Amino acid sequence: MSTYVFGHTNPDSDSIVGAISLSYLKNQLGEDCVPTRQGKVSPETEFILEKFNGTLPELKTSYAGEDVYIVDYSDLAQAPEDILEATVLGIVDHHKLGDLTTSTPLECWIRPVGCSNTIIKEMYDAYDVEIPKDIAGMMLCAILSDTVIFKSPTCTKVDTKACKELAKIAGVEDYKALGMEMFIVKSAVQGATARELTTRDYKEFAMGSEKVGVGQLEVVDLSVFDEMKEDLFTDIAKLKEEGGLHTVMLLLTDIMKEGSQVLVVSDDVSKVESGLDVKLENNEAWLDGVLSRKKQIIPFIQPQF
Ligand code: MN
Ligand code: MN
């Protein structure tokens, strides 16, 4: 029986590449592992897979009775619905500890670094397993994506060191240029529906007795959203309604100006205003220096509930 390796719902590049890189490592260590995914991949991830000859992991949303490793999350809200009927053999993650518990002992690699693939790189080193050239290239991209080319406050020295070593293995000379190429692909939002955009990188969090959803779109120039802001507002209001959420926020992040325009629909905007120490005008505000949902948004909103 194979063990499945997969990341969170609405998978980002770290979740998809992490499934691939961790499966390969486990296979080298004699475990039969298969990378899977819980949903549709983004244009950025498609770019990475194409660039480094990666195979798109199989879509699989049910895991009852299976052995699994999970990557890039430990929240039930981001897990398959039947995760509690699976045996979680291990977690590799770089987020706050979530609410998933297990009935058996497990392997845990959870560190406060910028990307799950940075931790997987450390695992390869710890087990002395060679990283194939193409997998190194994909892992490099995942780290550049999660750390916003090292600009995010979540980025650590461990991440930059891992990137240098992975770039060498992958034969990538200018990895910051590769990062920009990737973010330009990510910025191509024309042609996508409002729903595709609001849910491309969207996570829901349990806060007190309420649910809060926070989406994020990272682009090289915010003007791409000028024409579609009203549609984005309408859609996050729908997301809030459909999910019975207290609040839905959408961060439009400008990676060059290094800040985010936040759009908010909420039963009580004062929670967002006092949490982020900002006054919303027409339900939006510019948050200077804010690039990370995980480090600069969630820890400040959570205590409001
Ligand atoms: Mn992720
Ligand atoms: Mn990640």
Side-chain angles (χ1 to χ4, degrees):
M1 193 176 89
S2 295
T3 296
Y4 295 100
V5 184
F6 55 92
H8 52 75
T9 47
N10 294 317
D12 55 5
S13 297
D14 192 23
S15 276
I16 298 295
V17 174
I20 295 170
S21 57
L22 184 59
S23 291
Y24 180 88
L25 172 65
K26 289 290 180 184
N27 287 338
Q28 298 311 298
L29 297 173
E31 292 179 52
D32 176 17
C33 285
V34 176
T36 53
R37 63 186 161 96
Q38 293 196 62
K40 195 171 178 283
V41 298
S42 71
E44 179 197 71
T45 304
E46 282 171 358
F47 164 87
I48 296 170
L49 293 174
E50 194 168 315
K51 185 120 191 153
F52 294 101
N53 311 302
T55 306
L56 180 66
E58 186 190 320
L59 179 69
K60 183 169 166 64
T61 52
S62 175
Y63 293 89
E66 308 285 5
D67 285 350
V68 303
Y69 284 106
I70 66 171
V71 185
D72 204 32
Y73 73 100
S74 65
D75 277 308
L76 285 172
Q78 295 162 33
E81 270 178 29
D82 57 3
I83 189 73
L84 295 176
E85 294 165 57
T87 304
V88 179
L89 301 182
I91 302 175
V92 180
D93 189 26
H94 66 125
H95 295 85
K96 75 177 175 67
L97 189 59
D99 50 2
L100 176 69
T101 58
T102 63
S103 48
T104 49
L106 77 165
E107 177 182 356
C108 256
W109 297 72
I110 302 178
R111 308 266 169 88
V113 294
C115 182
S116 300
N117 273 279
T118 299
I119 304 168
I120 298 172
K121 163 74 168 70
E122 291 190 301
M123 294 172 73
Y124 273 88
D125 292 345
Y127 289 111
D128 201 18
V129 171
E130 212 173 298
I131 308 176
K133 195 169 181 239
D134 282 334
I135 290 183
M138 291 190 268
M139 292 170 75
L140 169 64
C141 284
I143 302 172
L144 291 169
S145 171
D146 261 15
T147 64
V148 194
I149 322 179
F150 309 152
K151 291 181 188 195
S152 171
T154 59
C155 185
T156 68
K157 277 184 189 150
V158 189
D159 299 293
T160 49
K161 181 169 171 274
C163 274
K164 273 184 199 134
E165 293 173 11
L166 290 166
K168 207 167 173 191
I169 300 166
V172 172
E173 249 170 60
D174 188 347
Y175 53 85
K176 287 194 178 173
L178 171 65
M180 269 314 284
E181 199 186 332
M182 195 174 68
F183 273 95
I184 287 166
V185 170
K186 201 173 194 172
S187 302
V189 295
Q190 288 85 359
T193 65
R195 181 52 59 96
E196 278 165 358
L197 293 175
T198 56
T199 58
R200 187 173 277 174
D201 178 8
Y202 174 78
K203 289 180 181 173
E204 290 185 355
F205 301 86
M207 297 198 184
S209 57
E210 306 285 358
K211 280 198 296 179
V212 174
V214 187
Q216 183 172 26
L217 290 164
E218 294 160 323
V219 297
V220 289
D221 183 359
L222 278 195
S223 67
V224 297
F225 297 118
D226 286 352
E227 306 275 285
M228 53 178 87
K229 197 171 280 171
E230 281 318 306
D231 291 344
L232 294 175
F233 259 121
T234 306
D235 197 65
I236 57 172
K238 273 191 208 147
L239 275 178
K240 177 181 175 305
E241 186 81 16
E242 290 162 14
L245 296 144
H246 178 282
T247 299
V248 175
M249 302 164 66
L250 181 63
L251 295 165
L252 306 177
T253 300
D254 188 318
I255 70 159
M256 304 312 289
K257 293 200 181 91
E258 302 191 19
S260 299
Q261 187 76 16
V262 63
L263 316 188
V264 182
V265 288
S266 177
D267 290 339
D268 179 5
V269 288
S270 74
K271 287 193 188 304
V272 175
E273 291 187 319
S274 44
L276 300 180
D277 192 20
V278 72
K279 186 90 196 121
L280 295 171
E281 264 178 58
N282 299 320
N283 293 305
E284 56 180 308
W286 172 254
L287 306 173
D288 205 38
V290 170
L291 294 172
S292 168
R293 166 176 52 200
K294 174 171 65 180
K295 203 159 181 171
Q296 294 167 295
I297 300 290
I298 303 307
F300 299 97
I301 298 296
Q302 187 106 51
Q304 301 296 320
F305 291 83

